[in-house]
Amino acid sequence: MIKYYIKSANPVSQFIEITLLIPVRHLSQVRLQLPAWRAGRYQLANYVQNIRNLDVFTPAGKQILASKLTKDLWEFTPDHVGEYEVRYEYYCAKMDAGSCWVDDKQIYLNFVNCCFEVDGRSDDRIQVEINYPPEFQSCTTLLLDNNEYYASNFQQLADSSFLASQNLTYECFEVGESNFHLWFNGKVHFNLAEFKENVKKFAQKQIEAFGEFPVDEYHFIYLLLPYPHYHGVEHQRGTVITFGPAESLSNRDHLNELMGVSCHELYHAWNVCQIRPIEIMPYDFSKEAYHEAGWIVEGVTTYMGDLFLMKSGYFSLEEYFETFEKVLNRESLNLGWRNQSILESSFDLWIDGYVGGIPDKKVSIYTHGALIAFCLDAMLLDEKSSLHQVMKILWKKFGKPKIGYTRDEVWEAVLSQTDHPIYFNQFYEDYIAGKDDIFPIVEKHLASFGLDLISRVKEDRFASMFGIIKSEDEKITKIHPASEANNKLMVGDVIKSDVLKDTTLNLSIDRFGRALDIELTMSDVHLYQDYFLEDKKSNSKRDAWING
């Protein structure tokens, strides 16, 4: 058995000391691969930058040479059989739902950041022991056996998290044969009993829809922070969610955001944690694993997460519409669909998928993917099926037996639910593989639910009439490609003053140290717009959508 011992002798230094014990049975080279990325974020993180002082010791306590072969791969040559020690330090100073943070009040770890995969020993059981102050409470998605934490193999270790803290609030509930645990680190500024009941309701709805839950135990680990933050990461046996400021959760709008990410991450327990593209089944954390399934992985989950909050009764219809409007308005600012399909944007996640990138290069697998999912759901409802029926097929065929799916196999599951494949294949060519504007087809399907998609002029005249998006410090962050500003202004220009007279806007700008005066004429059309849903009349299709 491989063993990890982890402690922090000086928590305010934010370093942990890790001892890795490897039983060596053959005198062949031992290779240690540190992950370069983590599940749920398809982008290289290079966790190796947080390691220092890596040393290897023989069973007799003699230090031997460990050679570094690549940026995050080490090798040593044993001279005797027995248990070898690998000692190193890891810097835990990034607070989000997928990283590590240590201070005087908590030890928070995502093991994929800081633990090595031993080449050829990936299927070995791994025992984990973490030393923390006796007054701390702890929670983890690791398995427990005779009061010892362990992972069945490295894939499970890399998919696990740990938290020990001075102040953990705990709640639990059961759905069927599965136990759900809710852990809160930080001040709770909302009704905990109501929160638990609402989480239980959407968990019940999701389990009912799939017919079963993938694991017998699941942990919601919430890090409630005193400063603005919003992040969630999925794991097979739980999720870590960071949110702040914690005190804002006394407001229903902010609590809706926390509930939204919670429902989203739970849906991941099936979709991605189990129902997974073949390219990442299993995960190879040593290098990029390119796939084109972003619209399924995150788009479907974004759509379903919000939908199940409505199906479970947490969201009123009006609140769901407000959430849908947010997706529409985030998507409306991005014209990347003109230049890249969602398949291409998914493939390119490894390059710049989680940052703004160059202007209008790509689409969001989250918002654009959610609109694709909505359209498919609306189309399938006309076939007396639904997108969730497709996901249930994928669960039974690929997720439960842990077989990775191909892009074609997902589409075959969609086509299995329709007698009109030409219609669906055209949608695929236009909006998934293609670069057509999805808003008109979204508008069409909203109308089939008795909803009108209304566009209005943005209150910000710069955006609507001149195609300029700027930050609070007056720096231009985006320019509409059809605007006059696109030929006269640059991203990064800072507006020092502006004067609007009739249809003419005179700007004084700072362009990286140069003072310039720019004149713009108001556009004849509204460039950036806001979108709203107007409820016209309920119908049977909408009823099936909400209650099905």
Side-chain angles (χ1 to χ4, degrees):
M1 180 189 296
I2 293 170
K3 299 177 183 178
Y4 274 97
Y5 293 95
I6 301 173
K7 65 179 181 178
S8 181
N10 179 15
V12 295
S13 74
Q14 298 200 276
F15 276 97
I16 55 174
E17 297 88 54
I18 300 178
T19 300
L20 165 60
L21 300 180
I22 307 170
V24 172
R25 305 182 189 93
H26 308 286
L27 298 183
S28 56
Q29 289 155 324
V30 177
R31 290 190 170 187
L32 308 172
Q33 176 69 62
L34 191 74
W37 59 282
R38 63 167 176 77
R41 195 165 184 94
Y42 311 105
Q43 188 176 54
L44 292 177
N46 292 319
Y47 300 119
V48 68
Q49 63 192 300
N50 297 318
I51 281 184
R52 74 179 188 187
N53 292 332
L54 186 145
D55 297 308
V56 179
F57 297 87
T58 68
K62 172 187 171 185
Q63 185 172 351
I64 60 173
L65 177 67
S67 302
K68 198 171 185 182
L69 304 182
T70 70
K71 61 182 172 61
D72 45 26
L73 175 65
W74 278 261
E75 179 183 79
F76 67 88
T77 304
D79 53 8
H80 292 84
V81 296
E83 192 170 66
Y84 282 71
E85 286 192 12
V86 181
R87 302 175 194 165
Y88 59 99
E89 297 172 294
Y90 189 87
Y91 189 53
C92 305
K94 186 174 182 180
M95 173 54 79
D96 65 25
S99 300
C100 296
W101 179 274
V102 170
D103 62 25
D104 55 317
K105 292 189 175 183
Q106 62 193 313
I107 297 175
Y108 162 53
L109 306 174
N110 279 286
F111 297 107
V112 69
N113 293 194
C114 58
C115 291
F116 284 97
E117 183 170 11
V118 182
D119 187 35
R121 307 284 291 276
S122 300
D123 292 328
D124 283 20
R125 178 169 164 144
I126 302 167
Q127 183 179 315
V128 181
E129 183 177 316
I130 303 172
N131 184 277
Y132 55 87
E135 67 271 19
F136 279 23
Q137 295 174 278
S138 67
C139 59
T140 182
T141 55
L142 287 168
L143 300 169
L144 183 64
D145 182 24
N146 293 323
N147 294 318
E148 291 182 342
Y149 292 127
Y150 75 95
S152 300
N153 50 44
F154 184 79
Q155 289 281 310
Q156 188 173 68
L157 178 69
D159 195 43
S160 298
S161 304
F162 174 88
L163 173 65
S165 167
Q166 286 183 344
N167 180 29
L168 274 183
T169 303
Y170 174 69
E171 291 286 343
C172 63
F173 62 85
E174 294 180 11
V175 179
E177 297 180 358
S178 296
N179 296 313
F180 291 82
H181 308 271
L182 288 78
W183 305 90
F184 302 87
N185 187 30
K187 292 185 178 179
V188 177
H189 291 268
F190 48 87
N191 187 308
L192 201 53
E194 286 184 8
F195 186 89
K196 179 180 78 169
E197 188 60 28
N198 286 320
V199 172
K200 183 177 181 179
K201 284 179 181 178
F202 73 64
Q204 287 173 323
K205 276 293 181 183
Q206 290 192 26
I207 293 170
E208 178 186 315
F210 276 106
E212 58 190 321
F213 195 63
V215 292
D216 60 359
E217 204 162 26
Y218 190 90
H219 298 259
F220 289 91
I221 301 174
Y222 295 95
L223 304 178
L224 304 179
L225 306 171
Y227 50 84
H229 209 282
Y230 177 89
H231 192 213
V233 172
E234 67 271 14
H235 301 288
Q236 286 190 7
R237 291 172 47 81
T239 176
V240 177
I241 294 170
T242 54
F243 195 98
E247 62 183 13
S248 72
L249 292 170
S250 61
N251 179 288
R252 169 80 179 190
D253 289 342
H254 291 284
L255 189 62
N256 287 352
E257 293 181 26
L258 185 62
M259 291 294 294
V261 68
S262 300
C263 195
H264 175 109
E265 299 304 337
L266 184 64
Y267 197 84
H268 271 315
W270 292 272
N271 189 25
V272 169
C273 288
Q274 302 274 122
I275 308 167
R276 197 185 303 172
I278 195 168
E279 293 87 350
I280 53 174
M281 179 68 85
Y283 295 117
D284 180 351
F285 294 111
S286 69
K287 60 185 179 181
E288 299 92 329
Y290 300 98
H291 66 78
E292 296 178 314
W295 72 270
I296 308 160
V297 168
E298 292 295 353
V300 169
T301 305
T302 298
Y303 171 68
M304 289 295 185
D306 293 336
L307 189 62
F308 272 100
L309 284 182
M310 180 171 62
K311 287 178 177 289
S312 68
Y314 175 77
F315 271 164
S316 67
L317 197 58
E318 291 74 20
E319 285 176 314
Y320 177 77
F321 290 163
E322 289 173 4
T323 302
F324 200 101
E325 287 168 356
K326 288 178 182 178
V327 172
L328 288 166
N329 285 306
R330 287 174 188 147
E331 183 62 20
S332 71
L333 294 177
N334 184 5
L335 301 177
W337 55 267
R338 296 180 176 182
N339 301 304
Q340 198 172 68
S341 72
I342 198 165
L343 299 182
E344 294 169 318
S345 293
S346 179
F347 195 91
D348 280 0
L349 286 170
W350 295 94
I351 302 171
D352 60 0
Y354 301 92
V355 295
I358 63 175
D360 294 321
K361 172 202 168 184
K362 62 192 175 188
V363 298
S364 165
I365 62 171
Y366 295 88
T367 56
H368 198 84
L371 294 182
I372 288 172
F374 163 72
C375 291
L376 283 174
D377 203 14
M379 293 160 65
L380 288 163
L381 283 167
D382 289 335
E383 306 287 323
K384 308 302 180 188
S385 185
S386 69
L387 181 59
H388 190 75
Q389 282 300 113
V390 173
M391 296 306 296
K392 192 172 181 180
I393 291 169
L394 296 179
W395 160 246
K396 290 181 176 179
K397 189 172 182 181
F398 300 102
K400 192 171 183 179
K402 297 185 179 180
I403 301 169
Y405 61 72
T406 67
R407 188 180 72 180
D408 290 343
E409 285 170 329
V410 171
W411 199 245
E412 286 172 9
V414 173
L415 295 181
S416 74
Q417 299 300 293
T418 177
D419 295 325
H420 307 93
I422 294 176
Y423 178 41
F424 279 79
N425 285 334
Q426 190 62 56
F427 177 88
Y428 186 94
E429 291 302 318
D430 292 343
Y431 303 106
I432 299 177
K435 304 172 187 176
D436 283 10
D437 183 3
I438 200 169
F439 267 65
I441 194 77
V442 169
E443 183 175 14
K444 171 189 170 183
H445 290 303
L446 285 169
S448 74
F449 290 115
L451 301 167
D452 281 350
L453 180 61
I454 308 297
S455 62
R456 298 176 189 164
V457 179
K458 280 184 174 290
E459 291 183 11
D460 181 358
R461 68 176 188 268
F462 282 93
S464 286
M465 311 313 300
F466 298 97
I468 301 167
I469 304 290
K470 55 190 177 67
S471 59
E472 291 183 0
D473 60 0
E474 299 298 313
K475 180 179 288 187
I476 295 174
T477 58
K478 184 179 278 289
I479 304 171
H480 198 288
S483 67
E484 182 186 5
N486 193 48
N487 298 317
K488 294 184 176 181
L489 294 173
M490 292 175 60
V491 171
D493 286 348
V494 178
I495 299 173
K496 309 302 289 186
S497 66
D498 63 272
V499 178
L500 178 63
K501 186 176 182 180
D502 297 327
T503 60
T504 301
L505 178 65
N506 289 292
L507 299 174
S508 294
I509 65 168
D510 180 308
R511 179 171 292 167
F512 305 100
R514 282 192 293 148
L516 296 173
D517 293 322
I518 303 292
E519 183 179 283
L520 299 174
T521 301
M522 188 179 293
S523 172
D524 294 332
V525 297
H526 300 146
L527 296 165
Y528 294 113
Q529 302 179 67
D530 283 329
Y531 289 87
F532 301 88
L533 299 183
E534 187 173 290
D535 192 354
K536 301 297 285 186
K537 187 178 180 181
S538 181
N539 57 34
S540 58
K541 183 175 179 180
R542 188 201 292 187
D543 293 340
W545 179 50
I546 296 170
N547 302 314

